[in-house]
Amino acid sequence: MSDNNSFYITTPIYYVNDKPHLGHTYTAVACDVLARFKRLDGVDVKFLTGTDEHGLKIMQAAEKAGVSPQELTDRVSQNFRDLVDVMNYSNDDFIRTTEERHIKAAQALWQKITDAGDVYLDKYSGWYAVRDEAYYTESELTDGPGGKKIAPSGAECEWVEEESYFFKLSEWQDRLLDFYKKNPNFIQPDSRRNEVISFVEGGLRDLSISRTAFDWGVPVPGDDKHIMYVWIDALTNYMTSVGYPDTECEEFKKFWPADVHVVGKDILRFHAVYWPAFLMSVGLEPPKKIFAHGWWTVEGQKISKSLGNAIAPSELVERYGVDASRYFLMREIPFGNDGNFSHEHAVNRINADLANGLGNLAQRTLSMIYKNCDGKMPAPGTFTGEDKNLLNDAQVRLIDAVRGDLDKLQIHRALEAVMAVTSEADAYVDTQAPWKLKKEDPERMGTVLYVLAETIRCLALIMQPVVPASAAKMLDQLAVPDNERDFSFISADHALKPGVEIAKPEGVFPRIVEEEKQEAANG
Ligand code: MSP
């Protein structure tokens, strides 16, 4: 049983048939933000991501590319691994399902499920969508052009008839419903939970868990004519990384069950129905939470190969920088909802919140301190009600609100709260007008600038998980020591020390100039 001071968070593992795009980096950035936040809050965190490398879809992609599946997976998996640097993920492990440690884990889980009496050999005849790597019943399908059968996801289905091992999923219906009832937060958001419950209430059919028509997969123990269905293989990755099948090892005891698997809404069923059933079958605890986020469209359209509208994470970073890209992805749409990406929105959001908001607040304040206080943190006098109110918001209320939001994975709300305090500080600058105080009341000017600098310290500390490099720059400029940057330092007891020299202020969040405007400006 994982302990209370540990936190294990995972992304889905990415299929290596395609290049990474915005939708892929979205989950990983969200997990990264949550992982960094918990670490700064003193929790022992494990954050896992990786690639899903078996199955028919990958085999067909390799055939199309004219390379072996192993060559394809090595190449494409590296593209996902490169994102660790491109998007600045702080993952503790990167798993590939073709690794030996994983094959061993998947086979062990298979064996245990078999030993539990939950597997039998039969024949599968039915519909399969390679794109989704999923089985569908006739009633779920619609007719497409040329008599093709189409899955609800839009994927084309093919008729499959082959010998297959089955998992007795039908016997898990009541136990799953009971589990959802006892663990009301297991599936989040609530609307998604209701969807899953209705699906399970509608009745579950046994699940085909092996294939014989191709061989790019983990061999079934004791019958290597069969390879495992890619989803039973893939889901096991979450346990491989913590040492499964050794359930007595430190890592496993510390981190299993996982605190949250963050997934896209399209793969919720695999995580919220099949995965807990497999785990309960072998007497292991299911993860504590499955959170399904929504899907991004790009400029109003579904991301698709044929439209060629996928945005590479590296393209975002070239245009906006890593931190601003991360911020935009997390702030723009409520985590859980669908949303639309447009460059116009990205520019507006980044400029409003980061360049004109937090960045400008820091630049103005620090420049005033640099110029008017000999580059040293001024000593505050007596605090007024307004001073105390802003300080209290920054040092106490904000972190409490952000913690509450992030516990519910409401990342956009946490950022809204940060921006609300930023606006409050902006309004405070306007009403206090420190530039006017320079001659009239320099002591009061010192107090006002101190209150602002201390507010910025707290804002920068809280923003570290989302904009790590930029927040570090802000904290450097305020001369906050490296070992005073975790969340235990967000309090009045650790407020900025008067007299400390600050660095010459430099802008942290550049204003994004839209291309047309840039071109016009360049003449
Ligand atoms: N390999 C499976 C997951 C196995 S987990 C044990 C898979 N891979 S995937 O590469 O197709 O998708 C990975 C994740 O990217 C999924 O969570 C999916 O929802 C997400 N996204 C893919 N396109 C997306 C958008 N357009 N928007 C947001 N997320 C999207 O499924």
Side-chain angles (χ1 to χ4, degrees):
M1 177 76 195
S2 62
D3 58 55
N4 280 340
N5 201 40
S6 70
F7 183 74
Y8 181 24
I9 183 164
T10 65
T11 73
I13 46 172
Y14 302 96
Y15 284 131
V16 289
N17 64 319
D18 208 354
K19 286 199 237 74
H21 63 60
L22 173 86
H24 301 128
T25 196
Y26 182 53
T27 331
V29 169
C31 291
D32 186 60
V33 167
L34 294 161
R36 286 175 186 268
F37 189 88
K38 289 280 181 188
R39 279 191 208 107
L40 287 164
D41 227 358
V43 176
D44 198 351
V45 171
K46 180 171 174 101
F47 164 29
L48 173 69
T49 187
T51 45
D52 188 355
E53 307 191 355
H54 290 126
L56 192 50
K57 173 162 155 147
I58 308 301
M59 203 177 97
Q60 289 178 349
E63 275 164 9
K64 210 168 147 206
V67 294
S68 70
Q70 191 64 57
E71 268 177 87
L72 179 89
T73 55
D74 288 346
R75 177 170 7 112
V76 185
S77 175
Q78 188 57 42
N79 295 338
F80 281 94
R81 201 185 275 261
D82 290 344
L83 285 189
V84 172
D85 292 331
V86 174
M87 296 303 291
N88 198 6
Y89 305 156
S90 63
N91 54 305
D92 299 285
D93 190 5
F94 186 99
I95 192 160
R96 300 183 54 187
T97 54
T98 47
E99 286 173 73
E100 209 40 58
R101 60 171 173 159
H102 176 71
I103 292 167
K104 190 173 125 202
Q107 289 183 326
L109 182 66
W110 178 288
Q111 192 59 53
K112 284 253 156 61
I113 297 176
T114 308
D115 295 346
D118 280 326
V119 174
Y120 63 93
L121 187 63
D122 203 342
K123 193 171 162 206
Y124 179 79
S125 32
W127 295 99
Y128 192 78
V130 182
R131 200 183 84 188
D132 302 344
E133 295 283 20
Y135 298 94
Y136 290 103
T137 58
E138 183 88 41
S139 61
E140 289 176 287
L141 307 180
T142 49
D143 292 319
K148 299 227 169 81
K149 290 285 182 188
I150 308 294
S153 62
E156 260 179 39
C157 293
E158 59 185 42
W159 183 257
V160 166
E161 264 186 40
E162 61 187 328
E163 185 185 88
S164 172
Y165 285 97
F166 283 81
F167 174 73
K168 292 180 185 166
L169 187 63
S170 58
E171 293 183 4
W172 288 89
Q173 182 176 358
D174 291 344
R175 279 175 284 186
L176 281 168
L177 290 171
D178 191 46
F179 175 73
Y180 303 146
K181 207 168 175 183
K182 289 199 179 116
N183 300 278
N185 292 325
F186 173 63
I187 303 165
Q188 288 291 311
D190 289 346
S191 55
R192 299 278 170 214
R193 176 181 61 225
N194 298 338
E195 242 172 66
V196 171
I197 292 177
S198 326
F199 170 74
V200 175
E201 279 173 347
L204 294 173
R205 290 160 17 117
D206 289 349
L207 180 70
S208 163
I209 51 167
S210 76
R211 304 286 316 258
T212 53
F214 61 95
D215 63 1
W216 182 241
V218 179
V220 165
D223 190 353
D224 53 18
K225 189 162 95 228
H226 288 254
I227 53 158
M228 289 181 199
Y229 170 41
V230 65
W231 270 100
I232 188 168
D233 158 358
L235 288 161
T236 310
N237 92 86
Y238 302 131
M239 291 208 299
T240 307
S241 179
V242 290
Y244 189 80
D246 183 0
T247 53
E248 289 307 310
C249 71
E250 283 290 301
E251 275 272 288
F252 196 90
K253 285 201 289 198
K254 186 169 194 76
F255 290 116
W256 197 262
D259 289 82
V260 55
H261 295 321
V262 181
V263 301
K265 62 180 184 177
D266 54 318
I267 55 172
L268 179 58
R269 194 179 287 183
F270 302 95
H271 285 82
V273 181
Y274 305 165
W275 186 222
F278 296 153
L279 290 168
M280 288 195 258
S281 158
V282 300
L284 287 171
E285 273 188 85
K288 292 184 203 155
K289 187 180 287 181
I290 311 289
F291 189 99
H293 64 68
W295 266 46
W296 284 90
T297 47
V298 170
E299 311 283 353
Q301 289 189 302
K302 203 174 159 191
I303 300 178
S304 90
K305 256 193 195 168
S306 49
L307 289 173
N309 62 347
I311 297 186
S314 55
E315 187 188 327
L316 275 187
V317 169
E318 270 159 35
R319 252 168 122 142
Y320 306 121
V322 192
D323 283 352
S325 302
R326 289 167 58 103
Y327 177 81
F328 172 72
L329 292 175
M330 293 300 102
R331 174 64 189 85
E332 188 65 2
I333 55 178
F335 202 52
N337 292 10
D338 291 335
N340 179 44
F341 177 89
S342 87
H343 284 292
E344 192 189 334
H345 288 175
V347 171
N348 290 344
R349 175 67 77 188
I350 292 167
N351 283 343
D353 291 7
L354 298 181
N356 302 342
L358 189 55
N360 185 46
L361 175 70
Q363 177 72 8
R364 271 164 99 187
T365 305
L366 293 177
S367 303
M368 282 190 274
I369 294 178
Y370 200 74
K371 276 197 215 126
N372 302 327
C373 312
D374 282 342
K376 290 195 188 107
M377 195 53 62
T382 316
F383 291 131
T384 64
E386 280 113 335
D387 302 344
K388 284 188 199 153
N389 200 29
L390 180 57
L391 284 173
N392 200 36
D393 278 348
Q395 293 167 330
V396 183
R397 285 188 217 129
L398 181 59
I399 185 72
D400 287 349
V402 168
R403 266 194 200 109
D405 291 333
L406 291 189
D407 275 341
K408 292 187 255 116
L409 283 89
Q410 297 294 289
I411 305 174
H412 63 288
R413 274 203 195 290
L415 293 176
E416 258 170 39
V418 171
M419 286 306 143
V421 175
T422 307
S423 306
E424 196 189 327
D426 273 336
Y428 174 89
V429 182
D430 292 342
T431 51
Q432 303 296 326
W435 53 89
K436 280 201 205 147
L437 294 168
K438 194 180 171 192
K439 283 212 181 99
E440 294 162 22
D441 188 349
E443 192 191 316
R444 177 66 196 150
M445 176 193 73
T447 308
V448 168
L449 293 177
Y450 179 87
V451 168
L452 286 166
E454 172 58 11
T455 301
I456 294 163
R457 181 185 74 96
C458 297
L459 292 170
L461 288 172
I462 294 182
M463 282 292 272
Q464 291 176 97
V466 186
V467 290
S470 313
K473 267 195 212 156
M474 292 170 80
L475 294 167
D476 289 346
Q477 294 192 7
L478 285 166
V480 174
D482 282 348
N483 61 356
E484 293 185 10
R485 295 184 180 188
D486 69 52
F487 293 160
S488 67
F489 289 91
I490 304 180
S491 91
D493 296 344
H494 299 285
L496 289 166
K497 292 185 192 55
V500 171
E501 257 179 56
I502 62 159
K504 186 173 181 347
E506 268 170 36
V508 172
F509 296 108
R511 211 185 138 75
I512 311 291
V513 183
E514 282 166 274
E515 266 165 34
E516 310 85 81
K517 289 191 194 148
Q518 207 161 20
E519 275 160 24
N522 294 343

